[in-house]
Amino acid sequence: MRALSPWACDPARSRGRLHSEERTALRGPRDEYQRDRDRVIHSIPFRRLRHKTQVFIAPDGDHFRVRLTHSLEVAQIGRTIARALGLNEDLTEALCLAHDIGHPPFGHAGEDALKAATAHVGGFDHNAHTLRVLMRVEKPYPRFDGLNLTWETLEGLAKHNGPVEQPSWAMAEANAAFPLELGSWPSLEAQVASVADDIAYDNHDIDDGLRAGLLSREQILAVPLVARGWRAAQERYPDISERRLLSELVRSQIGLMVNDLIAETRRRIRDTGVQTVEDVRAAGQALVGFSHAMRAEERELKRFMYRELYHHGRQLEAARIAATIVGGLFAAYADDPARLPEGWRETLPPDQPDRSRHIADFIAGMTDRYAIASYREIVGALELPEGF
């Protein structure tokens, strides 16, 4: 077994699970964080990520990324960083794989629509919904609701973007059930998962945007970080095709970001004198992050991607349609809950706000394709542009 740094999360010192469990040899020789990772992988919500939007809604092309493939790519990057820093790779992987489980269909467009539909009962937030799914909505075990993940995994999912100063109702509910110290910083494993997510979509969305024809080579080369990487790739491989050069660019840029992150994180750990996991949580700042120079370039890349890809006219039209579908489904189920599938109908709470939140739970679990089919069946005809 690879030795852990003193500031890494040790499964032997986990704060445990909300519900006690009897250990049995039937479950195999796994530690607590390995069990968490495996529970996520074997869960239905994780499998549904296969048909949930990453950038392109219900994509027809087999080569475009979806939430599932994105989560796998985040996990690969996260494990690489965790190993270099002596952190717990299994906890890091569990966090990377589970971080998007709370996303509704149609990505952020679907989230905005569900947030608007549930504004009267406190709204919707995909990060908090991840906790809700993993702690109560999913029910694969006989003695308790949820996956009964360890405190460290739930803490990391709640706070991977930093302390939660104003928790949503769903986050507050999860915290009341299993206090997660929302005001402190999370483990280094959780911080790694957060930045690995950024590294993955910063680079892979360039690839998908070019494949879809929404970005051009000329556009991406207007970003200094990308232009520098492109020139370096051309110098190394002057005779290869543009398509293969793009793949080299993406790989090299990920490597550049990962190496910068590792070096900067080591510097921060050294300079702050962190010695334990408790020191990490009490540090008062993120310890995992890019250098100042790389952070500035990464932010510039993000601004470009929002301007040229995420807010592209075709994407905005897709978001409009997604809002119609999600909003229409919520209104239809709220108007006549008999439209819900039997299992969801039988467990529908009688009173608000739980009633509307239950309906939102059902919609949030839908894949893009299931949501489209359900809308057509329950609400009516739906005109979709080509390629939707």
Side-chain angles (χ1 to χ4, degrees), residues 13-19 32 148-152 178:
R13 301 178 62 190
S14 169
R15 299 194 195 185
R17 303 176 188 275
L18 178 59
H19 306 285
E32 296 302 319
N148 200 29
L149 302 177
T150 62
W151 186 90
E152 291 78 17
F178 200 6

Side-chain angles (χ1 to χ4, degrees), residues 1-283:
M1 179 181 293
R2 184 177 295 272
L4 295 175
S5 299
W7 44 79
C9 286
D10 183 348
R13 301 178 62 190
S14 169
R15 299 194 195 185
R17 303 176 188 275
L18 178 59
H19 306 285
S20 62
E21 298 182 27
E22 181 181 357
R23 292 302 300 269
T24 168
L26 292 175
R27 303 302 187 193
R30 299 170 296 165
D31 66 37
E32 296 302 319
Y33 302 148
Q34 289 173 324
R35 294 172 71 201
D36 279 3
R37 176 203 59 207
D38 296 349
R39 290 181 182 196
V40 169
I41 289 174
H42 288 280
S43 71
I44 290 175
F46 181 72
R47 293 200 293 273
R48 283 198 297 257
L49 295 178
R50 176 188 176 196
H51 293 299
K52 288 196 175 188
T53 293
Q54 174 59 24
V55 175
F56 302 106
I57 294 174
D60 288 332
D62 292 335
H63 296 171
F64 291 115
R65 290 165 177 85
V66 292
R67 285 285 162 190
L68 179 60
T69 57
H70 166 71
S71 297
L72 293 172
E73 289 169 341
V74 174
Q76 178 270 315
I77 294 170
R79 286 196 73 118
T80 298
I81 298 169
R83 178 171 295 197
L85 295 173
L87 304 179
N88 189 286
E89 294 179 47
D90 297 309
L91 175 58
T92 303
E93 185 176 22
L95 293 167
C96 291
L97 293 173
H99 81 284
D100 271 352
I101 274 179
H103 261 290
F106 312 122
H108 291 288
E111 179 174 7
D112 290 343
L114 203 50
K115 184 184 298 184
T118 57
H120 63 296
V121 292
F124 179 90
D125 170 69
H126 82 269
N127 193 47
H129 192 66
T130 293
L131 274 290
R132 183 171 170 86
V133 169
L134 296 175
M135 293 179 73
R136 59 181 296 174
V137 175
E138 181 70 354
K139 298 178 173 65
Y141 295 98
R143 294 196 305 105
F144 47 77
D145 292 344
L147 301 189
N148 200 29
L149 302 177
T150 62
W151 186 90
E152 291 78 17
T153 297
L154 295 174
E155 180 227 17
L157 291 170
K159 303 187 300 187
H160 62 276
N161 291 322
V164 181
E165 297 180 356
Q166 296 181 317
S168 65
W169 67 267
M171 185 69 75
E173 187 179 71
N175 188 62
F178 200 6
L180 300 172
E181 300 177 2
L182 295 180
S184 66
W185 284 88
S187 65
L188 291 176
E189 287 83 355
Q191 295 182 41
V192 165
S194 177
V195 187
D197 183 29
D198 286 348
I199 293 173
Y201 74 71
D202 279 345
N203 293 287
H204 293 145
D205 289 358
I206 292 176
D207 187 17
D208 280 355
L210 287 164
R211 287 181 185 275
L214 271 63
L215 295 177
S216 68
R217 182 172 67 88
E218 289 71 26
Q219 283 177 297
I220 66 169
L221 293 183
V223 180
L225 175 65
V226 179
R228 194 165 62 249
W230 183 266
R231 288 194 300 270
Q234 282 183 315
E235 290 174 3
R236 288 195 301 274
Y237 305 103
D239 300 322
I240 67 172
S241 68
E242 184 173 302
R243 176 69 252 174
R244 296 178 71 175
L245 202 62
L246 171 64
S247 297
E248 176 63 18
L249 166 70
V250 171
R251 283 193 298 271
S252 298
Q253 197 159 280
I254 290 174
L256 184 69
M257 288 183 170
V258 166
N259 288 336
D260 178 274
L261 180 79
I262 291 169
E264 174 64 14
T265 300
R266 284 174 174 160
R267 184 194 67 78
R268 294 182 190 183
I269 290 172
R270 182 186 67 247
D271 290 354
T272 56
V274 164
Q275 294 295 321
T276 67
V277 179
E278 289 71 27
D279 291 343
V280 171
R281 294 194 174 100

